Amino acid sequence: MMKITTKLTHVVAKRFAATLVLGLMVASNASAQFATEYAKPLDNTFITVNVGAAAPLNSLFGDMFPVNPLAGIAVGKWFTPYVGAEIEATGWFGSHLGYNTKSLSNNNGATNAIRGIYGGINGLVNLTNVFAGYYGSPRFFEVGAYVGIGWAHGFRPHTADRYNNYWAGKTGLDFAFNLGSKKAHTVSLRPAVLWNFTTPGAGKGSSAFNKNGAQLYLGAAYTYHFKTSNGTHHFKIYNVGEMNNRIDSLNQELAKKPKEVIREVVKTVEVPAKTVATAAAADTYVFFAQNSAELTSEAKSVLDKVEGTVDVVATSSPEGTPEYNQSLSERRAKAVADYLKAKGVTVDSCKGAGVKNVTSARVAIVKVK
């Protein structure tokens, strides 16, 4: 009978694992169009407190823990909307006689308040998200599963076994109700099986994974999900497929528009240095090198012929900024005016006019009155 039970347990475990792998593959396919926001190390962490009671799966051999109330606490983290992990500590309370209830003199009972303790690490799977996808916020009702391994200690002597430390494990389901607008609070029902991997009453203990020593656990839990760095209490996701579709749409619209080329053309007109003069009055033109306000020898020879009273106006070419061009034209006008004043010419006005048009105009105009 024990062999049949063990075989059946293994078959169920294999089928559960195969179903879980298939679900993860489906979820991976379904969520390929979504990207989860980067999470910091302490994001998506939680704390859980639970209460319940445990009863032996096999009333004859299930003597590791009594049919007593229990309470526990767990802290954990969700790594993705689909998988997470938690560290659990659970204690069983009250006294209990040994499994052989017909003999009350075997001193198998524990008289202290804590009957036994279990500590372990559990892997968590959100089955609802695995099979139905996660879209940025937890649903009101979700189903999860968890499996773990750990260590247990019983606080009572055993007539046939002096070793009260055991390898233990836990498998169970989580029927969760996410409450509140922010889904920061979860109340859940958690049926589970607590496995004793060491056969009770077998001397130093032999490996076992069956109903002997296993406990059926029925409990309720409250979980608080801490606030994350994104301002919510859960994962935030982005619809990558929708964003890619929008980008493709914009690229298509852009491809339909004619290509426009904007080109800035600066036309340069070279004017030879010369003096236009009449017997009475004339305008004299003095030219400068690009980005320069210094008078050349040719310009000075032209200015040497100017007499009387004059107005000086200088300009610049459009290569620089408007502010720089204005400053350059003023320096050119001042250079001409200073040279004429040194020769005794009266200068009524001296100003820089900046850029007058798009052509090159690195010139100073001396107007004789």
Side-chain angles (χ1 to χ4, degrees):
M1 181 65 182
M2 186 178 298
K3 291 183 179 180
I4 295 176
T5 304
T6 304
K7 185 176 181 180
L8 180 60
T9 302
H10 291 166
V11 170
V12 172
K14 288 181 179 179
R15 290 187 178 180
F16 175 79
T19 304
L20 185 59
V21 171
L22 177 61
L24 289 172
M25 293 173 62
V26 172
S28 175
N29 229 14
S31 62
Q33 296 298 312
F34 294 88
T36 304
E37 182 184 53
Y38 170 77
K40 294 183 178 180
L42 295 181
D43 284 349
N44 306 297
T45 53
F46 60 86
I47 184 170
T48 299
V49 292
N50 60 82
V51 294
L57 278 182
N58 186 325
S59 60
L60 180 60
F61 296 99
D63 71 322
M64 178 179 173
F65 297 111
V67 183
N68 279 338
L70 53 82
I73 187 170
V75 292
K77 172 181 173 66
W78 286 96
F79 305 111
T80 72
Y82 311 99
V83 295
E86 67 178 7
I87 299 175
E88 174 191 0
T90 301
W92 282 258
F93 301 95
S95 62
H96 179 65
L97 294 176
Y99 66 86
N100 186 1
T101 56
K102 295 180 180 180
S103 173
L104 302 181
S105 62
N106 57 10
N107 196 27
N108 287 344
T111 58
N112 52 301
I114 300 179
R115 177 70 174 82
I117 58 174
Y118 167 77
I121 182 169
N122 303 323
L124 310 175
V125 178
N126 188 314
L127 296 176
T128 300
N129 289 344
V130 166
F131 290 99
Y134 178 75
Y135 300 101
S137 178
R139 298 168 175 83
F140 169 70
F141 175 71
E142 295 178 332
V143 178
Y146 54 97
V147 58
I149 188 170
W151 168 84
H153 177 75
F155 289 97
R156 86 276 186 266
H158 196 291
T159 55
D161 189 356
R162 295 181 293 106
Y163 300 90
N164 291 326
N165 296 310
Y166 308 91
W167 280 109
K170 187 174 184 180
T171 56
L173 295 174
D174 184 17
F175 300 97
F177 297 86
N178 298 306
L179 308 178
S181 59
K182 298 181 180 179
K183 301 296 191 297
H185 309 278
T186 300
V187 176
S188 57
L189 300 176
R190 289 190 168 187
V193 175
L194 307 171
W195 303 95
N196 175 9
F197 293 148
T198 305
T199 304
K204 293 184 179 179
S206 59
S207 178
F209 182 40
N210 51 47
K211 63 182 180 178
N212 298 333
Q215 299 282 312
L216 176 63
Y217 164 56
L218 298 176
Y222 165 76
T223 300
Y224 177 75
H225 304 272
F226 294 102
K227 194 172 184 179
T228 67
S229 58
N230 63 28
T232 71
H233 293 264
H234 297 280
F235 288 94
K236 198 179 267 190
I237 64 171
Y238 299 96
N239 191 333
V240 178
E242 184 178 303
M243 295 171 69
N244 286 335
N245 291 338
R246 179 58 178 162
I247 293 174
D248 292 341
S249 176
L250 292 174
N251 287 334
Q252 292 175 4
E253 292 180 11
L254 184 62
K256 294 178 182 178
K257 294 184 178 182
K259 297 186 181 298
E260 299 178 0
V261 178
I262 301 176
R263 183 178 300 168
E264 181 180 357
V265 179
V266 178
K267 182 179 180 182
T268 301
V269 178
E270 297 292 342
V271 181
K274 63 181 180 178
T275 301
V276 180
T278 63
D283 290 345
T284 300
Y285 296 85
V286 177
F287 296 91
F288 295 86
Q290 186 176 12
N291 195 28
S292 174
E294 294 183 4
L295 295 173
T296 64
S297 57
E298 185 178 1
K300 290 178 181 179
S301 64
V302 172
L303 293 176
D304 287 342
K305 300 175 183 179
V306 177
E307 297 178 350
T309 302
V310 300
D311 293 325
V312 179
V313 179
T315 60
S316 59
S317 56
E319 286 84 358
T321 63
E323 294 79 6
Y324 181 80
N325 291 334
Q326 178 63 35
S327 173
L328 180 61
S329 66
E330 292 173 356
R331 286 188 282 121
R332 287 172 174 171
K334 185 175 184 305
V336 172
D338 290 347
Y339 187 83
L340 292 175
K341 289 178 182 179
K343 292 182 59 61
V345 176
T346 302
V347 179
D348 271 358
S349 64
C350 170
K351 67 176 183 178
V355 178
K356 301 300 291 184
N357 49 48
V358 297
T359 60
S360 177
R362 300 186 291 274
V363 63
I365 305 174
V366 179
K367 295 184 178 183
V368 181
K369 293 184 177 181

